[in-house]
Amino acid sequence: MDLAQLAAEYGDYVYPIVFVLTFLEGETFIIFGGVLAHQGYLDWWLLFLSAWIGSFCGDQLYFWIGRRWGQDLLLRFPRWRPSAESALDFLRRYSTWFILSFRFIYGVRNLASFAMGMSGVSPLRFLTLNFIAAFIWSLSFTGIGYVFGHALETVLGDVAHTFGLVMLGIFSAIICIVVFIHKQQQRRFAQRAALRASLVTSDSVPPG
């Protein structure tokens, strides 16, 4: 039994799963869902709406967590600080454009809405822009999957089902590589920040 057959038999369960995954993230699954929607196993509109609402609700929650408990959580989980500071730097430089596009910026996407909650961005402004941004994000990834599914069927015909599974594996491998690179960058950032902090501390201590 492949994923296409599972989608055909249990398709009604896919949409709440999409909601949960996009609440957290889930680009790869959404792209493959678009492929299955083109092949007729899923309803594209329900897939799109589930991704839109899930992504919107997830980032609204992270925004309010950052607004209410942001500083306390950064003290408790200092490894979050590099991504949060990167997101705040993007927000200072690009403002509205960053709120509309942060879902597409790997490395800050996970903590961007959390950081924006800490930044003093108006809740109403964030809600409005987040609603639009979630629409753009879900339309992009479900659309990419749908167009990709059409290309597969045009070029490969019946082989598209198997090839789609192969591409899902490739997408997953790429994401794993990107995550690894990002973690290495975070580690180097944290080391540089710790070095700067130690230099500042040593400079502030009066000579004995």
Side-chain angles (χ1 to χ4, degrees):
M1 180 178 291
D2 59 23
L3 292 181
Q5 186 176 349
L6 287 173
E9 295 184 6
Y10 304 103
D12 291 342
Y13 297 99
V14 170
Y15 308 110
I17 292 173
V18 167
F19 174 87
V20 172
L21 289 176
T22 52
F23 194 98
L24 303 171
E25 243 181 296
E27 288 91 342
T28 305
F29 188 86
I30 301 308
I31 291 173
F32 193 70
V35 174
L36 294 178
H38 177 78
Q39 295 173 349
Y41 295 105
L42 297 175
D43 185 303
W44 185 88
W45 284 103
L46 287 178
L47 180 72
F48 161 68
L49 289 173
S50 300
W52 181 10
I53 296 170
S55 181
F56 169 75
C57 291
D59 283 294
Q60 282 300 127
L61 175 62
Y62 305 146
F63 176 85
W64 282 104
I65 290 174
R67 187 175 175 85
R68 176 65 180 83
W69 297 290
Q71 293 296 341
D72 293 337
L73 287 171
L74 286 184
L75 289 174
R76 186 171 181 179
F77 302 101
R79 67 180 181 276
W80 294 359
R81 187 172 294 277
S83 292
E85 290 180 349
S86 296
L88 290 173
D89 183 54
F90 275 111
L91 181 64
R92 285 189 290 268
R93 285 189 286 171
Y94 303 111
S95 188
T96 297
W97 286 109
F98 176 65
I99 300 175
L100 289 172
S101 63
F102 72 88
R103 285 174 173 81
F104 299 92
I105 305 174
Y106 195 86
V108 300
R109 188 256 186 273
N110 289 345
L111 287 174
S113 50
F114 170 85
M116 283 185 276
M118 298 170 51
S119 71
V121 171
S122 162
L124 180 59
R125 179 177 177 233
F126 180 79
L127 183 146
T128 303
L129 293 174
N130 184 40
F131 190 75
I132 297 170
F135 171 86
I136 296 170
W137 179 86
S138 58
L139 181 64
S140 298
F141 282 98
T142 55
I144 287 171
Y146 193 88
V147 171
F148 183 66
H150 175 73
L152 283 177
E153 287 192 348
T154 300
V155 175
L156 300 172
D158 293 336
V159 183
H161 298 288
T162 302
F163 190 70
L165 295 175
V166 173
M167 291 306 299
L168 178 62
I170 293 173
F171 279 129
S172 301
I174 291 172
I175 287 177
C176 289
I177 292 170
V178 173
V179 168
F180 174 77
I181 294 172
H182 172 60
K183 287 186 180 297
Q184 294 298 316
Q185 291 174 337
Q186 278 190 317
R187 187 174 295 110
R188 287 194 293 269
F189 186 95
Q191 289 171 348
R192 289 195 296 267
L195 179 60
R196 286 196 298 267
S198 65
L199 291 174
V200 170
T201 301
S202 63
D203 290 340
S204 62
V205 175

